[in-house]
Amino acid sequence: KQWYQRRVAITAGGSCASVTEGLCGVWNGNIADDLFKDSPNDNAEKFKDYDESCPPPPAPYDPCDNIGPLRKAKALAICQKLTEPPFSACNNVVPVGDTNGGFINTCMTEICQCHLDKSCACPEFDMYAEECINSGVDLSYWRDSVDFCPYTCPKGEVYLAEGPVPTPTCLDKNPSKTGTARGCFCPQGHFLQDDQCVEADQCKCLHEGIFYNNGDEIRDEGDCQVCTCGDAGIMSCLEMTCPELNCDGDELISYKDDECCPYCQRDWVEAVNPKTDLKEGQSVVLTCLIHAANVDRKKINWYKDGKRLREDISRDRLKLSIKDADSSDSAQYECEAVKNGKTASSWFVVDVHVPILEALTLVKDPCEDKNKWCRIWAHKGFCNLPYCMRFCKSSCSLCDTT
């Protein structure tokens, strides 16, 4: 077996601590300094004097050693392009190296690993050209002289030695130039859009993260605008024109936050939570929305089973609080608003679940309606609610006739 296929363990007494070192490390409790210069080879070199038969470390792996001298010579011939025009103009400024190091050595390594594919030398040639350009020798168009390293730009793009940075796009056709770069760019008069180069009249419009084609119309209700995608991706917008309204006698002009134009609405008072079941002791806030502008809050009233309420109403009069509910809070509630002589209401049904014994004491005659709204609730289909099943048995036809 080779030495690296074996494991060696050494057992030493505690008296050897802090005075023992070698290939296994330094016995001082610090694993960070076990390797000299943090390198296995350097560590072995340091301690080889203790064993005169210790061989030197192997040379670094070179793929060119495995392809034969003839093929290695072909790899060298390819990489020696760096010593010919146009690269030779830079050789005195940026050394190309030789087979032992530098650009030529790295180039040969790439070529040998690619089985003598010439194109594998192109990245190394480009790195050399980049260093030359940074050193003042312009090799921007070196690919014109190396037939196996053509410009490989995507379809529709062209190679530029000093392309603009940032590149012009349909969204910003004249960006503030911050520099230049070698690479593939859109031809003059074309702009980048969705990774494609297009002419100005092919540019799309971008609106709220969505691209639109020329001629598309977008209704922006939030800003009350109608926008049209025009030439060169330019969006033109006009104020939205709302139709003239002629509401019926029981309708009112109403508005919504996400709609620009008003509309006629009959039920312009909305119950947010129209049906609520509570356990005894729980609380709830009944909330109504008014889809009409400039309603005087003094014209908003709340009712419980037809009786007007004056307490537990919010300052804007759109909320009614029921706290620590008990059986007396089981009822139908109404939020009523008046504007321009027109009245609209929204209804809420609250059912408070109470212990069975309390319910029995409240209802002496199980076939007698205990609320004047029972007929209305039955007509509206609320008989399946627990409150109606207890207190509206007559209207809901739930009486026990046996």
Side-chain angles (χ1 to χ4, degrees), residues 25-42:
V26 181
W27 189 2
N28 59 1
N30 179 16
I31 61 174
D33 64 355
D34 282 344
L35 289 180
F36 179 65
K37 294 185 179 181
D38 215 20
S39 165
N41 281 345
D42 289 336

Side-chain angles (χ1 to χ4, degrees), residues 28-100:
N28 59 1
N30 179 16
I31 61 174
D33 64 355
D34 282 344
L35 289 180
F36 179 65
K37 294 185 179 181
D38 215 20
S39 165
N41 281 345
D42 289 336
N43 199 56
E45 283 291 319
K46 178 181 179 181
F47 295 106
K48 73 177 182 179
D49 291 341
Y50 293 98
D51 186 350
E52 62 278 0
S53 63
C54 183
Y61 169 72
D62 185 350
C64 293
D65 292 338
N66 299 329
I67 64 174
L70 182 59
R71 293 170 66 84
K72 184 175 182 179
K74 289 182 178 180
L76 176 60
I78 295 172
C79 295
Q80 280 183 330
K81 285 279 188 182
L82 288 172
T83 64
E84 302 172 3
F87 302 107
S88 58
C90 184
N91 289 171
N92 292 332
V93 179
V94 179
V96 295
D98 53 28
T99 57
N100 295 318

Side-chain angles (χ1 to χ4, degrees), residues 153-154 156-168 180-188 192 197:
C153 288
E157 297 184 19
V158 296
Y159 174 82
L160 294 178
E162 295 183 349
V165 177
T167 185
T180 62
R182 291 187 304 120
C184 298
F185 294 85
C186 292
Q188 184 71 26
L192 194 64
C197 292

Side-chain angles (χ1 to χ4, degrees), residues 248-264:
D248 294 339
D250 58 346
E251 294 180 332
L252 194 66
I253 297 178
S254 300
Y255 299 84
K256 286 187 178 180
D257 292 339
D258 57 350
E259 294 185 12
C260 175
C261 296
Y263 58 97
C264 295

Side-chain angles (χ1 to χ4, degrees), residues 218-232:
I218 305 100
R219 294 179 62 85
D220 190 341
E221 293 280 352
D223 292 330
C224 286
Q225 291 182 330
V226 178
C227 300
T228 303
C229 180
D231 293 340

